[in-house]
Amino acid sequence: ETADVVAVHKPATVPVHPTGQYRKNTVVGILAAERPDLGRLLPVHRLDKNVSGLLLMARSAAAANRLREQVQGHEVSKVYLALVTGVNIRGHTAGTSVTAVDIRGEANVG
């Protein structure tokens, strides 16, 4: 959480904003009800309903527009972390490790 942005863990099956049959059980609705101290929050990007992940929410329209431009201009990168044990998709046996993957490739973190 900063003066301009709040990062929210969005669980799978919860839509980001009200649409269709979803009016209250959305990230925006739940945050408004459970954390009114955060004020009005605007999604900077989208995550599909069935996807979990980190969702950036802006505290103002100006901050949302700035962040959207940064995302669209590829100034923001995504890194995916996964806790794995057993045999990975390449057939290698692994102990418990954390793997960071971004859109440019893969890096084993440990």
Side-chain angles (χ1 to χ4, degrees), residues 31-48:
L31 286 172
E34 299 290 325
R35 293 292 308 272
D37 58 301
L38 294 174
R40 181 172 178 249
L41 297 173
L42 306 165
V44 171
H45 59 95
R46 60 184 295 272
L47 289 176
D48 290 340

Side-chain angles (χ1 to χ4, degrees), residues 37-90:
D37 58 301
L38 294 174
R40 181 172 178 249
L41 297 173
L42 306 165
V44 171
H45 59 95
R46 60 184 295 272
L47 289 176
D48 290 340
K49 182 183 98 169
N50 291 325
V51 174
S52 66
L54 189 65
L55 180 65
L56 297 179
M57 307 285 285
R59 293 181 181 264
S60 69
N65 288 334
R66 257 192 332 272
L67 288 165
R68 284 184 192 126
E69 288 173 1
Q70 290 174 350
V71 169
Q72 291 171 352
H74 303 289
E75 296 172 45
V76 175
S77 63
K78 296 178 186 178
V79 175
Y80 299 90
L81 298 177
L83 184 62
V84 296
T85 187
V87 179
N88 69 23
I89 60 173
R90 293 190 180 112

